[in-house]
Amino acid sequence: MTDHLIEEPGGSFAASGPAGRGIEAGGATPPASPAPDGGAARGRSVWPMLERDALVGLLAVVVIVMSLAKPDLYPTAANFRATMASQAVLAVCALAALVPLVAGQFDLSSGAVLGASAVGAASALGRGVPLPLALLGAVGIGATVGVTNGLLVTRLSINPLIVTLGTASVVRGLLDRYVGGKVLLEGIPTSLTRYGSALPENLWIGLPRVVFLMALTACAVWYLVEHTPFGRSLAAVGASPAAARLVGVRVERRTIAAFTLGGALAGVAGVLQLAYSGQGNPAVGPNFTLPALAAVFLGASAIRPGRTNVGGTIVAIYFLAATISGLNFLGLGRGVEPLFNGFALLTGVGLSSVLARRRR
């Protein structure tokens, strides 16, 4: 009698044999081990909690230490509002990189797409296009680049790192030819810039308005990835494309959908960047790629250790922002941001790999 693959809760797959024994996709079920004593059991129950909450605790420690070190600058309302507003753009860009990663695909073009969407919306507004159409067009630019990435990866079987690095370069080149190095400022309505402003008169319940859109986007992506059949199928593709095919998942379609959704989210990030800065600057977008990836990988060591997840990504973004902001106030600003982001990316990749192996 043949074995059958079955889907388990959370998107994992297992095989059930004729004797009714569960066999994990990665190999045979190990024999039962003796029950640990009470101390070992408590240690094992505490360790996952420490893994899950360590980054949140580090964020709290950074905020407390920096507030004590620079009490007149760091723990101010103005610094809090500016940090929340500026990191909202990066958060959505990180979510754009996260969705393809759930499906096991790297996307290095999210920053370039962010810049293209911001410039596209600014250009359309400068030509008199109504605001809703200009914003939809910006999201459409991102989705188009995402579809292109997905088709190149699936139809031509090109490594996603090569594909997305190439499309990022193409997008930047097209932007340079289109704007000629200029920053687009004309025609951007004040209703949009007020939405992205961190000034006290433009707040909602004490927070910049752009933060609420970021939170709504994060909740939507979290629900889609964690609580829908589509999200579970993405996780199945990311875990094992071969096993996903055996249970009927259309791997190529899911891969294209992941890139498309990631591109559309990068387009949303471009709209937020336009609202926050009030300008379409083609040079800004690529600066988001490394911090976004650093946040995603560092976030995989928190909340749900060993897995890319929305909650951990948001915590990682504000941990990086709080630390870099504090170091700037301490006079260590020169080169600290790329240095810290690069270190966080290496640390995040290493930790997520170790935790993923332990989880398996």
Side-chain angles (χ1 to χ4, degrees), residues 240-334:
S240 173
R245 283 192 180 92
L246 288 176
V247 295
V249 177
R250 297 184 175 182
V251 173
E252 288 75 16
R253 289 190 179 184
R254 290 294 182 269
T255 301
I256 294 172
F259 276 114
T260 304
L261 180 56
L265 288 169
V268 173
V271 170
L272 295 183
Q273 174 63 18
L274 179 62
Y276 175 71
S277 65
Q279 60 184 16
N281 188 344
V284 169
N287 296 330
F288 283 87
T289 302
L290 177 60
L293 289 173
V296 172
F297 281 107
L298 188 60
S301 64
I303 310 301
R304 301 193 69 180
R307 292 182 55 182
T308 52
N309 65 91
V310 173
T313 298
I314 301 299
V315 172
I317 282 170
Y318 285 102
F319 167 73
L320 294 173
T323 306
I324 292 171
S325 174
L327 293 175
N328 285 330
F329 284 132
L330 291 175
L332 303 175
R334 188 181 181 120

Side-chain angles (χ1 to χ4, degrees), residues 2-345:
T2 59
D3 295 345
H4 301 283
L5 284 176
I6 58 173
E7 183 177 1
E8 295 182 338
S12 60
F13 293 87
S16 59
R21 295 174 299 170
I23 304 174
E24 295 182 356
T29 303
S33 56
D37 58 30
R42 283 193 298 272
R44 291 183 181 182
S45 65
V46 170
W47 180 249
M49 183 180 67
L50 292 176
E51 288 180 340
R52 185 183 68 241
D53 300 330
L55 193 59
V56 178
L58 283 175
L59 173 58
V61 169
V62 166
V63 171
I64 293 171
V65 170
M66 294 300 180
S67 297
L68 293 174
K70 287 291 182 179
D72 54 335
L73 295 174
Y74 190 84
T76 62
N79 182 47
F80 174 75
R81 291 195 300 266
T83 301
M84 292 296 293
S86 63
Q87 299 308 305
V89 180
L90 178 59
V92 178
C93 186
L95 295 176
L98 180 145
V99 174
L101 275 172
V102 172
Q105 307 292 330
F106 282 88
D107 189 352
L108 302 180
S109 66
S110 55
V113 172
L114 182 156
S117 299
V119 169
S123 176
L125 291 169
R127 295 172 183 269
V129 176
L131 179 61
L133 290 181
L135 300 186
L136 285 175
V139 177
I141 290 172
T144 300
V145 177
V147 169
T148 303
N149 287 335
L151 289 174
L152 290 173
V153 169
T154 57
R155 298 294 187 262
L156 300 182
S157 300
I158 306 176
N159 187 288
L161 287 172
I162 303 300
V163 168
T164 56
L165 186 62
T167 54
S169 182
V170 169
V171 168
R172 289 198 299 270
L174 291 174
L175 279 182
D176 287 339
R177 290 186 63 85
Y178 180 69
V179 301
K182 298 178 182 177
V183 176
L184 304 183
L185 299 169
E186 297 181 0
I188 300 174
T190 55
S191 59
L192 181 62
T193 55
R194 281 201 305 266
Y195 188 86
S197 172
L199 295 176
E201 61 269 21
N202 296 320
L203 304 181
W204 284 349
I205 59 174
L207 289 173
R209 302 178 189 184
V210 71
V211 174
F212 293 95
L213 182 56
M214 179 273 289
L216 181 63
T217 304
C219 290
V221 173
W222 168 78
Y223 182 81
L224 180 70
V225 170
E226 300 287 348
H227 297 285
T228 66
F230 174 77
R232 289 192 290 271
S233 66
L234 286 185
V237 172
S240 173
R245 283 192 180 92
L246 288 176
V247 295
V249 177
R250 297 184 175 182
V251 173
E252 288 75 16
R253 289 190 179 184
R254 290 294 182 269
T255 301
I256 294 172
F259 276 114
T260 304
L261 180 56
L265 288 169
V268 173
V271 170
L272 295 183
Q273 174 63 18
L274 179 62
Y276 175 71
S277 65
Q279 60 184 16
N281 188 344
V284 169
N287 296 330
F288 283 87
T289 302
L290 177 60
L293 289 173
V296 172
F297 281 107
L298 188 60
S301 64
I303 310 301
R304 301 193 69 180
R307 292 182 55 182
T308 52
N309 65 91
V310 173
T313 298
I314 301 299
V315 172
I317 282 170
Y318 285 102
F319 167 73
L320 294 173
T323 306
I324 292 171
S325 174
L327 293 175
N328 285 330
F329 284 132
L330 291 175
L332 303 175
R334 188 181 181 120
V336 70
E337 185 169 355
L339 178 65
F340 200 77
N341 284 329
F343 179 75
L345 177 60

